[in-house]
Amino acid sequence: MMASLKESADRALKMLHGLPRVQLGNLRPNPNSKKNPQRGRAQHGGDKHGAGNKGSGQRQNYMRLGYETGNNPFYIRFPYEPYYKGHHMRRQYPPISLLQLQVMLDTNRIDPTEPIDLTTLINTGLFKLSPTSREFGFQLTDEGADKFKSKICIEVQHAKESVIAAIERNGGVIRTAFYDLKSLQMLINPKKAFEKGEPIPRRMLPPQDAIAYYTGAENRGYLANPEEISKHRLVLAQKYGYKLPKIEEDPEYETLTAMKDARQIFFGLEPGWVISLKDKCIIKPKNLPSDS
């Protein structure tokens, strides 16, 4: 018994002589006795759980618009696209259909015996215009052209050929006219403009890229030659196959041919006049400066 214990002790001492010395660098925990709380991935060792360090990766469930997970974004790879050049400066014309116009006439929101302009359409309360969003007026669309049966005198900012034909087929008159931003603001809210006590300004002429449209008789532009407009009225009637009514013989001839001057903003109010809502009067200057 004692001999066997001595042999085992000698064997243990021989094993210790062959092993390296016990140091801090040799110490190891038992297998599976310690669990790593990290996930062992990404540059942070997994303690960020793959969501990165702060920012939208940790605070949101989605990345910002245009972020491509570290790649060079599309808007930087292709910084120039000619198609969108000047897109933010283009003039916008919210649509009004002929069907909507007919409904407003039938429901007495608009008086057909009076000239219709931008102020008339906004006063219905159904349409809004935002000049700050580059909206320069309304365009009349041909939706419901076959149901339009009213005889009116209307002024819009843009209209197609089919719309012009639908208006003139019923004996009406249509004009396309341009308004600058200041004139638009006065037309949208005349009361606010008159309360300032300032004279009514002159309407500015169209910009260079719009001159061709508003001087074209085929577009019924307000700067076009009246004789050319009469010719194009006949040409359009022959093209669409309807008999052109003679507005000269119409009892409402004066209303149908009512038209603003190229520098005029309101019907019946000339540039330079001051409208006093408090005194309920119109102040007219004696000598207006010449239009240069």
Side-chain angles (χ1 to χ4, degrees):
M1 181 74 179
M2 295 296 293
S4 62
L5 288 174
K6 189 176 182 180
E7 286 181 10
S8 59
D10 293 340
R11 200 180 305 118
L13 286 173
K14 282 183 179 183
M15 186 181 297
L16 286 174
H17 284 303
L19 291 174
R21 295 186 61 182
V22 178
Q23 299 174 351
L24 290 177
N26 297 335
L27 295 178
R28 295 288 185 273
N30 293 330
N32 300 325
S33 65
K34 185 177 180 182
K35 187 174 181 181
N36 188 1
Q38 299 180 352
R39 298 192 184 185
R41 68 185 187 202
Q43 62 176 342
H44 299 287
D47 59 336
K48 306 298 182 184
H49 307 294
N53 187 29
K54 298 185 179 178
S56 61
Q58 288 188 341
R59 299 188 178 99
Q60 297 178 176
N61 290 329
Y62 57 91
M63 290 295 155
R64 63 174 174 80
L65 187 65
Y67 182 66
E68 298 184 14
T69 63
N71 296 335
N72 196 18
F74 176 83
Y75 63 88
I76 294 180
R77 292 200 306 269
F78 304 96
Y80 176 69
E81 176 55 61
Y83 176 79
Y84 295 105
K85 183 178 181 181
H87 183 73
H88 65 290
M89 297 298 292
R90 293 179 183 174
R91 290 181 292 275
Q92 305 296 323
Y93 300 98
I96 296 178
S97 67
L98 286 172
L99 181 60
Q100 291 175 304
L101 184 60
Q102 184 64 61
V103 170
M104 289 187 292
L105 290 165
D106 294 340
T107 54
N108 295 326
R109 284 183 177 268
I110 295 179
D111 185 4
T113 62
E114 296 292 334
I116 302 170
D117 64 348
L118 195 144
T119 303
T120 308
L121 296 172
I122 292 178
N123 285 343
T124 61
L126 301 177
F127 306 101
K128 292 183 178 180
L129 207 62
S130 176
T132 56
S133 299
R134 305 293 297 174
E135 294 179 354
F136 278 76
F138 295 109
Q139 62 169 320
L140 205 55
T141 63
D142 56 0
E143 181 185 356
D146 53 337
K147 299 178 181 179
F148 189 79
K149 304 298 180 184
S150 298
K151 180 175 61 175
I152 58 173
C153 174
I154 186 170
E155 178 191 82
V156 291
Q157 282 61 60
H158 199 277
K160 292 166 48 176
E161 185 182 74
S162 56
V163 174
I164 297 174
I167 297 289
E168 295 179 350
R169 182 191 298 117
N170 296 294
V173 176
I174 182 172
R175 289 288 184 272
T176 55
F178 173 82
Y179 290 94
D180 57 283
L181 290 177
K182 189 172 182 180
S183 301
L184 282 173
Q185 291 171 350
M186 294 197 70
L187 285 168
I188 292 171
N189 194 348
K191 182 179 178 181
K192 182 179 179 181
F194 294 156
E195 286 176 347
K196 294 181 179 179
E198 298 177 354
I200 300 175
R202 285 189 175 91
R203 185 182 3 164
M204 302 297 291
L205 293 175
Q208 194 65 33
D209 59 345
I211 285 289
Y213 183 84
Y214 291 110
T215 56
E218 65 278 4
N219 304 318
R220 306 302 186 264
Y222 73 116
L223 299 177
N225 188 351
E227 295 181 359
E228 292 294 325
I229 291 179
S230 299
K231 294 179 182 178
H232 279 83
R233 280 171 57 89
L234 183 59
V235 170
L236 194 63
Q238 294 174 347
K239 179 178 180 180
Y240 282 82
Y242 61 86
K243 184 179 179 181
L244 184 65
K246 294 182 178 180
I247 60 174
E248 295 83 1
E249 301 175 359
D250 197 291
E252 300 177 0
Y253 175 75
E254 292 185 2
T255 302
L256 292 175
T257 56
M259 184 178 173
K260 300 177 186 177
D261 184 73
R263 292 302 186 98
Q264 192 177 357
I265 299 178
F266 300 100
F267 278 111
L269 298 177
E270 297 294 333
W273 291 6
V274 178
I275 311 300
S276 177
L277 298 180
K278 184 178 180 180
D279 300 331
K280 297 182 180 180
C281 66
I282 299 176
I283 304 172
K284 303 178 182 180
K286 293 183 178 180
N287 296 317
L288 284 175
S290 59
D291 188 8
S292 56

